Amino acid sequence: MDEHVAFLNEQVDRHHAWFSKSLPMIASENVISPMAREMLVSDFGDRYAEGLPHERYYQGNAFVDEVEDRVVALAKQIFRVRHMDPRLISGTVANMAVYFALLEPGDIMTSVALSHGAHISSAKFGAAGLRGVNNVNYPFDVDRMNIDVDETAKLIRLVKPKVAAFGQSVFLFPTPLRELHDAFQDAGCRVWYDGAHVMGLIAGGTFQDPLHEGADVLTGSTHKTLPGPQHGILLSDSEDEKFLKRLQRAVFPGVVSNHHLHAMAALGVTLAEFLAFGRDYAAQIVRNAKALAQALHERGIKVLAEKHGFTESHALALDVAAFGGGAKVATDLEKARIITNKNLLPWDTSPVRPSGIRLGTQELTRLGMKEAQMREVADLFARILVKGEAVEAIATEVAAMRTEFNTVHYCFTKDAEAHRRWRLA
Ligand SMILES: *Cc1c(COP(=O)(O)O)cnc(C)c1O
Protein backbone atom coordinates (compact mmCIF):
# COMPACT_ATOMS: atom_id res chain seq x y z
CA MET A 1 0.00 0.00 0.00
CA ASP A 2 1.10 3.57 -0.61
CA GLU A 3 3.03 4.82 2.40
CA HIS A 4 0.83 7.87 2.95
CA VAL A 5 -2.38 5.90 2.65
CA ALA A 6 -1.05 3.24 4.99
CA PHE A 7 -0.15 5.96 7.48
CA LEU A 8 -3.58 7.57 7.24
CA ASN A 9 -5.35 4.23 7.62
CA GLU A 10 -3.28 3.40 10.64
CA GLN A 11 -4.14 6.67 12.38
CA VAL A 12 -7.86 6.18 11.77
CA ASP A 13 -7.65 2.58 13.02
CA ARG A 14 -5.84 3.71 16.14
CA HIS A 15 -8.43 6.43 16.68
CA HIS A 16 -11.24 3.88 16.46
CA ALA A 17 -9.47 1.47 18.79
CA TRP A 18 -8.91 4.27 21.30
CA PHE A 19 -12.36 5.87 21.16
CA SER A 20 -14.19 2.57 21.33
CA LYS A 21 -12.45 1.93 24.67
CA SER A 22 -13.03 5.41 26.06
CA LEU A 23 -15.85 7.39 27.65
CA PRO A 24 -16.91 10.06 25.12
CA MET A 25 -18.24 12.94 27.24
CA ILE A 26 -17.83 16.00 25.02
CA ALA A 27 -21.23 17.73 25.10
CA SER A 28 -21.22 18.58 21.37
CA GLU A 29 -20.52 15.13 19.96
CA ASN A 30 -22.42 11.94 19.31
CA VAL A 31 -22.21 8.72 17.32
CA ILE A 32 -24.46 7.97 14.36
CA SER A 33 -26.30 4.73 13.74
CA PRO A 34 -25.08 1.97 11.36
CA MET A 35 -27.87 2.74 8.85
CA ALA A 36 -27.14 6.46 8.91
CA ARG A 37 -23.42 5.78 8.45
CA GLU A 38 -24.17 3.75 5.34
CA MET A 39 -25.59 6.88 3.73
CA LEU A 40 -22.34 8.73 4.33
CA VAL A 41 -20.42 6.41 2.03
CA SER A 42 -23.09 6.42 -0.71
CA ASP A 43 -22.76 8.09 -4.12
CA PHE A 44 -24.84 10.97 -2.74
CA GLY A 45 -21.52 12.26 -1.43
CA ASP A 46 -20.21 12.64 -4.97
CA ARG A 47 -23.06 14.74 -6.42
CA TYR A 48 -24.39 18.26 -6.61
CA ALA A 49 -28.02 19.33 -6.24
CA GLU A 50 -28.12 23.12 -6.17
CA GLY A 51 -31.44 24.82 -5.53
CA LEU A 52 -34.66 23.20 -4.37
CA PRO A 53 -36.02 19.70 -5.09
CA HIS A 54 -37.64 19.44 -8.53
CA GLU A 55 -36.19 22.86 -9.54
CA ARG A 56 -32.48 21.99 -9.75
CA TYR A 57 -29.71 23.53 -11.77
CA TYR A 58 -28.09 20.15 -12.53
CA GLN A 59 -29.38 16.91 -14.00
CA GLY A 60 -29.13 13.61 -12.17
CA ASN A 61 -31.09 14.59 -9.07
CA ALA A 62 -34.26 12.51 -9.44
CA PHE A 63 -33.62 10.35 -6.38
CA VAL A 64 -31.86 13.08 -4.43
CA ASP A 65 -35.08 15.09 -4.74
CA GLU A 66 -37.11 12.21 -3.30
CA VAL A 67 -34.72 11.94 -0.37
CA GLU A 68 -34.72 15.68 0.29
CA ASP A 69 -38.54 15.79 0.26
CA ARG A 70 -38.66 12.97 2.81
CA VAL A 71 -36.03 14.56 5.07
CA VAL A 72 -38.02 17.80 5.13
CA ALA A 73 -41.29 15.95 5.82
CA LEU A 74 -39.75 13.98 8.71
CA ALA A 75 -38.28 17.11 10.28
CA LYS A 76 -41.56 19.02 9.97
CA GLN A 77 -43.36 16.15 11.67
CA ILE A 78 -40.86 15.78 14.50
CA PHE A 79 -40.54 19.50 15.24
CA ARG A 80 -44.21 20.27 14.37
CA VAL A 81 -43.29 23.20 12.11
CA ARG A 82 -44.13 24.55 8.67
CA HIS A 83 -40.61 25.15 7.34
CA MET A 84 -37.37 23.17 7.45
CA ASP A 85 -34.24 23.69 5.38
CA PRO A 86 -31.97 20.60 5.21
CA ARG A 87 -29.22 22.27 3.17
CA LEU A 88 -27.07 23.79 5.90
CA ILE A 89 -23.77 21.99 6.08
CA SER A 90 -23.14 22.87 9.74
CA GLY A 91 -24.62 24.77 12.65
CA THR A 92 -22.32 27.72 12.04
CA VAL A 93 -23.39 27.87 8.39
CA ALA A 94 -27.04 27.83 9.53
CA ASN A 95 -26.22 30.79 11.76
CA MET A 96 -24.53 32.60 8.87
CA ALA A 97 -27.74 32.21 6.86
CA VAL A 98 -29.64 33.95 9.66
CA TYR A 99 -27.08 36.76 9.79
CA PHE A 100 -27.48 37.33 6.05
CA ALA A 101 -31.28 36.98 6.05
CA LEU A 102 -32.16 39.08 9.08
CA LEU A 103 -29.29 41.45 9.86
CA GLU A 104 -27.28 44.08 8.00
CA PRO A 105 -23.95 45.61 8.95
CA GLY A 106 -24.49 48.09 11.79
CA ASP A 107 -27.68 46.42 13.07
CA ILE A 108 -27.98 45.61 16.76
CA MET A 109 -28.40 42.04 17.97
CA THR A 110 -28.72 40.97 21.59
CA SER A 111 -27.19 37.66 22.65
CA VAL A 112 -25.61 35.66 25.47
CA ALA A 113 -21.96 36.53 26.24
CA LEU A 114 -19.19 34.07 25.39
CA SER A 115 -18.17 33.76 29.04
CA HIS A 116 -21.77 32.82 29.83
CA GLY A 117 -21.68 29.93 27.40
CA ALA A 118 -22.44 31.40 23.96
CA HIS A 119 -20.88 30.00 20.78
CA ILE A 120 -18.12 31.80 18.88
CA SER A 121 -20.41 32.28 15.87
CA SER A 122 -22.25 34.97 17.90
CA ALA A 123 -19.04 36.78 18.88
CA LYS A 124 -17.26 39.81 17.47
CA PHE A 125 -14.44 37.65 16.08
CA GLY A 126 -16.94 35.08 14.75
CA ALA A 127 -19.69 35.16 12.12
CA ALA A 128 -21.60 37.98 13.90
CA GLY A 129 -18.56 40.25 13.74
CA LEU A 130 -17.84 39.33 10.12
CA ARG A 131 -21.39 40.42 9.25
CA GLY A 132 -20.69 43.73 11.06
CA VAL A 133 -23.43 43.15 13.62
CA ASN A 134 -23.28 45.14 16.86
CA ASN A 135 -23.70 42.64 19.63
CA VAL A 136 -25.11 43.57 23.05
CA ASN A 137 -24.97 40.86 25.72
CA TYR A 138 -27.69 39.95 28.18
CA PRO A 139 -27.29 40.30 31.94
CA PHE A 140 -26.67 36.81 33.34
CA ASP A 141 -27.63 35.14 36.61
CA VAL A 142 -24.56 33.04 37.43
CA ASP A 143 -26.34 31.21 40.24
CA ARG A 144 -29.00 29.95 37.85
CA MET A 145 -26.61 29.70 34.89
CA ASN A 146 -29.25 31.46 32.79
CA ILE A 147 -30.00 34.95 31.51
CA ASP A 148 -31.50 37.30 34.12
CA VAL A 149 -35.03 37.52 32.80
CA ASP A 150 -36.08 40.91 34.27
CA GLU A 151 -32.84 42.67 33.34
CA THR A 152 -32.92 41.05 29.89
CA ALA A 153 -36.46 42.34 29.27
CA LYS A 154 -35.28 45.84 30.23
CA LEU A 155 -32.25 45.59 27.95
CA ILE A 156 -34.33 44.44 24.97
CA ARG A 157 -36.78 47.34 25.47
CA LEU A 158 -33.87 49.77 25.79
CA VAL A 159 -31.66 48.80 22.82
CA LYS A 160 -34.48 47.57 20.53
CA PRO A 161 -32.40 44.97 18.69
CA LYS A 162 -33.31 43.89 15.16
CA VAL A 163 -32.82 40.32 16.35
CA ALA A 164 -32.85 38.91 19.88
CA ALA A 165 -30.66 35.79 19.74
CA PHE A 166 -30.59 33.01 22.31
CA GLY A 167 -28.88 29.67 22.81
CA GLN A 168 -25.57 28.53 24.24
CA SER A 169 -22.83 25.95 24.00
CA VAL A 170 -22.90 25.56 27.77
CA PHE A 171 -26.66 25.19 27.79
CA LEU A 172 -27.93 23.92 31.13
CA PHE A 173 -31.40 25.45 31.47
CA PRO A 174 -34.21 26.45 29.09
CA THR A 175 -34.29 30.09 27.97
CA PRO A 176 -37.30 31.99 29.42
CA LEU A 177 -38.72 32.90 26.00
CA ARG A 178 -42.37 33.12 27.08
CA GLU A 179 -41.48 35.50 29.90
CA LEU A 180 -39.79 37.80 27.37
CA HIS A 181 -42.70 37.83 24.92
CA ASP A 182 -43.89 41.36 25.79
CA ALA A 183 -40.36 42.76 25.58
CA PHE A 184 -39.98 41.26 22.07
CA GLN A 185 -43.28 42.88 21.07
CA ASP A 186 -42.29 46.25 22.49
CA ALA A 187 -38.93 46.15 20.70
CA GLY A 188 -40.44 44.80 17.46
CA CYS A 189 -37.56 42.34 17.07
CA ARG A 190 -37.21 38.95 15.48
CA VAL A 191 -36.41 36.11 17.88
CA TRP A 192 -33.73 33.60 16.91
CA TYR A 193 -32.92 30.50 18.93
CA ASP A 194 -29.64 28.68 18.30
CA GLY A 195 -30.45 25.17 19.49
CA ALA A 196 -27.27 23.48 18.23
CA HIS A 197 -26.66 21.66 21.51
CA VAL A 198 -30.22 20.85 22.45
CA MET A 199 -31.73 19.99 19.04
CA GLY A 200 -32.26 16.34 20.06
CA LEU A 201 -33.83 17.37 23.35
CA ILE A 202 -36.21 19.75 21.56
CA ALA A 203 -37.05 17.02 19.02
CA GLY A 204 -37.54 14.53 21.85
CA GLY A 205 -39.96 16.78 23.72
CA THR A 206 -37.77 17.67 26.70
CA PHE A 207 -36.01 20.93 27.60
CA GLN A 208 -38.18 23.42 25.65
CA ASP A 209 -39.94 23.98 22.34
CA PRO A 210 -38.62 27.36 21.15
CA LEU A 211 -40.66 27.68 17.95
CA HIS A 212 -43.86 27.27 19.98
CA GLU A 213 -42.64 29.57 22.75
CA GLY A 214 -42.05 32.67 20.63
CA ALA A 215 -38.93 32.09 18.49
CA ASP A 216 -39.25 32.95 14.77
CA VAL A 217 -36.36 30.79 13.64
CA LEU A 218 -34.42 27.85 15.10
CA THR A 219 -30.96 26.84 13.86
CA GLY A 220 -28.67 24.07 14.98
CA SER A 221 -26.28 21.23 14.39
CA THR A 222 -27.56 17.73 13.70
CA HIS A 223 -24.80 15.87 15.52
CA LYS A 224 -24.91 16.91 19.18
CA THR A 225 -27.95 15.74 21.13
CA LEU A 226 -29.60 14.98 17.79
CA PRO A 227 -27.45 11.92 17.00
CA GLY A 228 -26.98 12.48 13.28
CA PRO A 229 -24.25 13.28 10.75
CA GLN A 230 -22.20 16.47 10.99
CA HIS A 231 -24.61 18.86 9.29
CA GLY A 232 -26.90 21.81 10.05
CA ILE A 233 -30.62 22.52 10.18
CA LEU A 234 -32.86 25.57 10.03
CA LEU A 235 -36.52 25.50 11.10
CA SER A 236 -39.36 27.98 11.40
CA ASP A 237 -43.08 27.85 12.10
CA SER A 238 -43.68 31.29 10.64
CA GLU A 239 -46.56 31.86 8.19
CA ASP A 240 -44.83 34.95 6.79
CA GLU A 241 -43.87 33.88 3.26
CA LYS A 242 -41.56 36.85 2.74
CA PHE A 243 -39.67 36.05 5.94
CA LEU A 244 -39.30 32.39 4.92
CA LYS A 245 -38.17 33.36 1.42
CA ARG A 246 -35.48 35.60 2.91
CA LEU A 247 -34.18 32.71 4.99
CA GLN A 248 -34.33 30.35 2.02
CA ARG A 249 -32.39 32.72 -0.27
CA ALA A 250 -29.78 33.29 2.42
CA VAL A 251 -29.20 29.51 2.48
CA PHE A 252 -28.91 29.19 -1.32
CA PRO A 253 -27.46 31.04 -3.16
CA GLY A 254 -26.29 32.78 0.04
CA VAL A 255 -24.09 30.58 2.20
CA VAL A 256 -24.38 27.11 0.63
CA SER A 257 -23.82 25.78 -2.86
CA ASN A 258 -23.52 22.01 -2.61
CA HIS A 259 -25.34 20.83 0.48
CA HIS A 260 -23.52 17.54 1.22
CA LEU A 261 -26.21 15.17 0.00
CA HIS A 262 -24.75 12.14 1.76
CA ALA A 263 -25.06 13.94 5.11
CA MET A 264 -28.60 15.01 4.23
CA ALA A 265 -29.52 11.36 3.50
CA ALA A 266 -27.92 10.28 6.78
CA LEU A 267 -29.96 12.98 8.53
CA GLY A 268 -33.07 11.40 7.03
CA VAL A 269 -32.21 8.03 8.58
CA THR A 270 -31.43 9.75 11.88
CA LEU A 271 -34.82 11.48 11.86
CA ALA A 272 -36.64 8.23 11.00
CA GLU A 273 -34.90 6.50 13.92
CA PHE A 274 -35.60 9.50 16.11
CA LEU A 275 -39.29 9.23 15.32
CA ALA A 276 -39.21 5.69 16.72
CA PHE A 277 -36.84 6.14 19.68
CA GLY A 278 -36.21 9.86 20.17
CA ARG A 279 -38.54 10.55 23.07
CA ASP A 280 -37.06 7.73 25.15
CA TYR A 281 -33.55 8.75 24.18
CA ALA A 282 -33.99 12.43 25.05
CA ALA A 283 -35.61 11.64 28.40
CA GLN A 284 -32.78 9.24 29.33
CA ILE A 285 -30.11 11.78 28.35
CA VAL A 286 -31.55 14.30 30.84
CA ARG A 287 -32.06 11.68 33.58
CA ASN A 288 -28.44 10.63 33.12
CA ALA A 289 -27.18 14.23 33.26
CA LYS A 290 -29.04 14.83 36.52
CA ALA A 291 -27.80 11.53 37.98
CA LEU A 292 -24.21 12.27 36.98
CA ALA A 293 -24.37 15.79 38.44
CA GLN A 294 -25.79 14.56 41.74
CA ALA A 295 -23.21 11.75 41.99
CA LEU A 296 -20.28 14.08 41.23
CA HIS A 297 -21.58 16.57 43.80
CA GLU A 298 -21.86 13.82 46.45
CA ARG A 299 -18.26 12.84 45.74
CA GLY A 300 -16.86 16.32 46.40
CA ILE A 301 -16.74 17.72 42.86
CA LYS A 302 -18.27 21.15 42.34
CA VAL A 303 -21.09 21.13 39.76
CA LEU A 304 -22.51 24.54 38.85
CA ALA A 305 -26.12 25.59 39.55
CA GLU A 306 -26.36 23.28 42.56
CA LYS A 307 -29.34 25.13 44.04
CA HIS A 308 -31.27 24.78 40.79
CA GLY A 309 -30.82 21.05 40.22
CA PHE A 310 -27.54 21.33 38.26
CA THR A 311 -29.06 20.91 34.79
CA GLU A 312 -32.21 20.37 32.72
CA SER A 313 -30.26 19.34 29.60
CA HIS A 314 -27.55 16.87 28.58
CA ALA A 315 -24.76 19.14 29.83
CA LEU A 316 -23.02 19.89 33.12
CA ALA A 317 -20.45 22.52 33.98
CA LEU A 318 -17.88 21.62 36.65
CA ASP A 319 -15.67 24.04 38.55
CA VAL A 320 -12.36 22.20 38.82
CA ALA A 321 -10.18 25.09 40.02
CA ALA A 322 -9.51 23.12 43.22
CA PHE A 323 -8.05 20.24 41.14
CA GLY A 324 -5.66 22.33 39.03
CA GLY A 325 -8.06 24.00 36.55
CA GLY A 326 -9.83 22.97 33.37
CA ALA A 327 -6.77 22.42 31.16
CA LYS A 328 -5.01 20.13 33.64
CA VAL A 329 -8.13 18.18 34.55
CA ALA A 330 -9.18 17.62 30.91
CA THR A 331 -5.67 16.34 30.12
CA ASP A 332 -5.61 14.03 33.15
CA LEU A 333 -9.04 12.66 32.30
CA GLU A 334 -7.94 11.99 28.73
CA LYS A 335 -5.07 9.85 30.06
CA ALA A 336 -7.73 7.86 31.90
CA ARG A 337 -9.64 7.49 28.58
CA ILE A 338 -12.34 9.97 29.62
CA ILE A 339 -12.77 12.50 26.82
CA THR A 340 -13.96 15.98 27.91
CA ASN A 341 -13.05 19.61 27.24
CA LYS A 342 -11.89 22.54 29.34
CA ASN A 343 -14.42 25.37 29.44
CA LEU A 344 -14.72 28.98 30.51
CA LEU A 345 -16.85 29.59 33.56
CA PRO A 346 -18.67 32.93 33.99
CA TRP A 347 -16.04 34.39 36.32
CA ASP A 348 -13.01 33.32 34.22
CA THR A 349 -10.92 35.98 32.52
CA SER A 350 -8.44 33.83 30.56
CA PRO A 351 -9.79 31.56 27.79
CA VAL A 352 -6.57 29.51 27.83
CA ARG A 353 -6.67 28.95 31.60
CA PRO A 354 -10.35 28.31 32.30
CA SER A 355 -11.40 26.90 35.65
CA GLY A 356 -14.08 24.60 34.31
CA ILE A 357 -14.79 21.53 32.27
CA ARG A 358 -17.99 20.78 30.39
CA LEU A 359 -19.58 17.32 30.23
CA GLY A 360 -22.44 15.85 28.22
CA THR A 361 -24.32 12.57 28.71
CA GLN A 362 -25.82 12.25 25.22
CA GLU A 363 -23.19 9.89 23.80
CA LEU A 364 -22.88 7.64 26.86
CA THR A 365 -26.68 7.40 26.79
CA ARG A 366 -26.54 6.46 23.11
CA LEU A 367 -24.22 3.61 24.08
CA GLY A 368 -26.87 2.30 26.46
CA MET A 369 -25.71 3.73 29.77
CA LYS A 370 -28.23 4.59 32.47
CA GLU A 371 -28.19 6.15 35.95
CA ALA A 372 -26.21 3.26 37.51
CA GLN A 373 -23.38 3.79 35.02
CA MET A 374 -23.45 7.54 35.71
CA ARG A 375 -22.62 6.75 39.32
CA GLU A 376 -19.76 4.51 38.20
CA VAL A 377 -18.45 7.33 35.99
CA ALA A 378 -18.67 9.74 38.92
CA ASP A 379 -16.62 7.27 40.98
CA LEU A 380 -13.91 7.32 38.31
CA PHE A 381 -13.88 11.13 38.34
CA ALA A 382 -13.57 11.19 42.13
CA ARG A 383 -10.73 8.66 42.13
CA ILE A 384 -8.81 10.76 39.61
CA LEU A 385 -9.58 14.26 40.92
CA VAL A 386 -10.28 13.90 44.62
CA LYS A 387 -8.16 10.87 45.56
CA GLY A 388 -5.42 11.41 42.98
CA GLU A 389 -5.27 7.74 41.88
CA ALA A 390 -3.04 6.81 38.92
CA VAL A 391 -4.76 7.48 35.60
CA GLU A 392 -3.21 4.41 33.89
CA ALA A 393 -5.07 1.99 36.16
CA ILE A 394 -8.33 3.86 35.62
CA ALA A 395 -7.80 3.78 31.84
CA THR A 396 -7.80 -0.03 32.03
CA GLU A 397 -11.07 0.00 33.98
CA VAL A 398 -12.67 2.37 31.48
CA ALA A 399 -11.70 0.06 28.60
CA ALA A 400 -13.23 -2.88 30.48
CA MET A 401 -16.41 -0.92 31.20
CA ARG A 402 -16.82 -0.14 27.50
CA THR A 403 -16.87 -3.81 26.46
CA GLU A 404 -20.46 -3.98 27.78
CA PHE A 405 -21.46 -0.73 26.06
CA ASN A 406 -20.22 -1.23 22.53
CA THR A 407 -23.28 -0.80 20.33
CA VAL A 408 -25.38 2.19 19.36
CA HIS A 409 -28.82 2.22 21.00
CA TYR A 410 -32.04 4.01 19.99
CA CYS A 411 -31.62 2.88 16.37
CA PHE A 412 -33.09 0.20 14.09
CA THR A 413 -29.96 -2.01 13.89
CA LYS A 414 -29.97 -4.60 16.65
CA ASP A 415 -27.25 -6.81 15.14
CA ALA A 416 -23.99 -6.17 17.02
CA GLU A 417 -21.99 -7.28 13.99
CA ALA A 418 -23.21 -4.26 11.99
CA HIS A 419 -21.98 -1.96 14.74
CA ARG A 420 -18.59 -3.63 14.69
CA ARG A 421 -18.36 -3.48 10.88
CA TRP A 422 -18.72 0.27 11.01
CA ARG A 423 -16.44 0.44 14.05
CA LEU A 424 -19.03 2.64 15.70
CA ALA A 425 -18.31 1.70 19.23
C1 LIG B 1 -21.86 23.79 18.13
C2 LIG B 1 -22.56 25.09 18.07
C3 LIG B 1 -22.69 25.77 16.86
C4 LIG B 1 -21.93 25.40 15.62
O1 LIG B 1 -22.21 24.23 15.08
P1 LIG B 1 -21.25 23.51 14.01
O2 LIG B 1 -22.17 22.46 13.50
O3 LIG B 1 -20.09 23.04 14.79
O4 LIG B 1 -20.87 24.52 12.99
C5 LIG B 1 -23.48 26.91 16.84
N1 LIG B 1 -24.07 27.37 17.93
C6 LIG B 1 -23.94 26.77 19.12
C7 LIG B 1 -24.65 27.34 20.31
C8 LIG B 1 -23.17 25.61 19.23
O5 LIG B 1 -23.00 25.04 20.42
Side-chain angles (χ1 to χ4, degrees):
M1 199 192 286
D2 173 77
E3 189 251 319
H4 301 299
V5 176
F7 173 83
L8 296 168
N9 269 308
E10 189 194 337
Q11 304 317 309
V12 173
D13 281 346
R14 291 174 69 190
H15 172 88
H16 277 278
W18 181 39
F19 251 77
S20 64
K21 298 269 181 290
S22 301
L23 295 175
M25 298 188 73
I26 298 217
S28 58
E29 297 180 355
N30 215 320
V31 61
I32 66 173
S33 74
M35 284 183 184
R37 182 140 334 213
E38 252 176 80
M39 294 296 179
L40 291 182
V41 296
S42 72
D43 183 70
F44 270 43
D46 306 327
R47 304 299 152 205
Y48 266 82
E50 288 186 340
L52 292 167
H54 318 289
E55 306 169 15
R56 303 291 192 190
Y57 293 83
Y58 293 11
Q59 298 313 117
N61 294 144
F63 305 107
V64 172
D65 288 355
E66 296 301 322
V67 167
E68 187 158 331
D69 285 346
R70 184 61 62 94
V71 173
V72 171
L74 281 166
K76 284 183 180 174
Q77 183 184 348
I78 288 172
F79 289 93
R80 298 183 295 120
V81 295
R82 294 184 181 87
H83 176 77
M84 180 273 195
D85 203 314
R87 298 175 297 171
L88 291 314
I89 60 170
S90 80
T92 298
V93 171
N95 291 354
M96 284 164 57
V98 172
Y99 286 121
F100 281 101
L102 304 185
L103 290 148
E104 308 216 5
D107 281 345
I108 294 175
M109 180 179 92
T110 50
S111 68
V112 178
L114 273 196
S115 60
H116 299 146
H119 187 255
I120 32 168
S121 55
S122 67
K124 237 193 176 55
F125 50 84
L130 290 179
R131 181 61 174 151
V133 168
N134 286 324
N135 220 338
V136 182
N137 291 142
Y138 303 121
F140 199 77
D141 182 338
V142 172
D143 235 33
R144 293 181 176 276
M145 284 300 282
N146 206 338
I147 56 172
D148 180 318
V149 64
D150 294 334
E151 294 301 316
T152 292
K154 276 188 212 158
L155 179 84
I156 288 171
R157 288 190 171 101
L158 179 72
V159 306
K160 294 198 179 356
K162 190 123 163 244
V163 172
F166 299 94
Q168 288 135 257
S169 301
V170 181
F171 210 170
L172 308 181
F173 297 98
T175 301
L177 288 178
R178 285 205 174 97
E179 293 84 335
L180 292 168
H181 174 268
D182 293 351
F184 299 146
Q185 294 270 302
D186 293 347
C189 61
R190 288 287 183 187
V191 181
W192 166 28
Y193 188 102
D194 178 350
H197 261 265
V198 291
M199 202 52 88
L201 303 182
I202 293 169
T206 69
F207 202 64
Q208 71 183 134
D209 189 359
L211 292 175
H212 301 102
E213 294 171 20
D216 297 298
V217 58
L218 166 63
T219 55
S221 313
T222 56
H223 48 267
K224 295 181 179 179
T225 52
L226 191 67
Q230 294 195 334
H231 201 69
I233 190 170
L234 185 151
L235 302 133
S236 177
D237 199 37
S238 174
E239 291 181 88
D240 178 347
E241 285 301 325
K242 265 173 65 184
F243 173 71
L244 296 177
K245 251 308 162 286
R246 254 164 48 216
L247 288 168
Q248 208 170 54
R249 288 212 188 92
V251 176
F252 176 85
V255 296
V256 168
S257 155
N258 178 29
H259 57 285
H260 298 186
L261 310 175
H262 55 317
M264 180 179 72
L267 175 60
V269 174
T270 303
L271 292 173
E273 292 183 321
F274 208 90
L275 205 52
F277 308 107
R279 294 190 87 81
D280 288 346
Y281 176 48
Q284 190 64 49
I285 290 173
V286 178
R287 281 200 297 273
N288 282 354
K290 287 172 181 285
L292 179 62
Q294 182 63 34
L296 288 166
H297 170 72
E298 285 166 4
R299 287 158 181 75
I301 295 166
K302 196 168 164 194
V303 187
L304 267 57
E306 180 194 338
K307 276 183 263 153
H308 304 281
F310 305 111
T311 184
E312 290 294 330
S313 73
H314 63 305
L316 322 177
L318 310 190
D319 180 349
V320 292
F323 308 115
K328 178 181 187 304
V329 165
T331 315
D332 287 350
L333 289 169
E334 188 184 33
K335 288 181 192 145
R337 292 180 173 268
I338 300 173
I339 315 297
T340 66
N341 62 275
K342 60 176 181 276
N343 217 103
L344 274 187
L345 297 182
W347 46 85
D348 284 335
T349 49
S350 161
V352 286
R353 295 179 56 82
S355 52
I357 61 168
R358 183 186 66 171
L359 305 178
T361 55
Q362 72 293 339
E363 194 169 343
L364 296 184
T365 307
R366 186 99 162 126
L367 295 171
M369 294 193 186
K370 300 232 160 102
E371 289 92 327
Q373 285 75 42
M374 295 303 108
R375 288 185 281 275
E376 283 182 42
V377 171
D379 278 335
L380 299 174
F381 272 72
R383 285 167 56 196
I384 298 163
L385 302 184
V386 182
K387 296 183 187 149
E389 284 187 32
V391 284
E392 294 75 16
I394 303 221
T396 311
E397 288 183 43
V398 167
M401 184 180 180
R402 272 302 304 273
T403 58
E404 283 174 52
F405 297 94
N406 60 2
T407 58
V408 178
H409 290 237
Y410 308 97
C411 71
F412 292 135
T413 306
K414 306 298 178 206
D415 164 20
E417 183 49 38
H419 298 253
R420 277 195 290 277
R421 179 158 25 94
W422 290 109
R423 304 183 298 176
L424 290 174

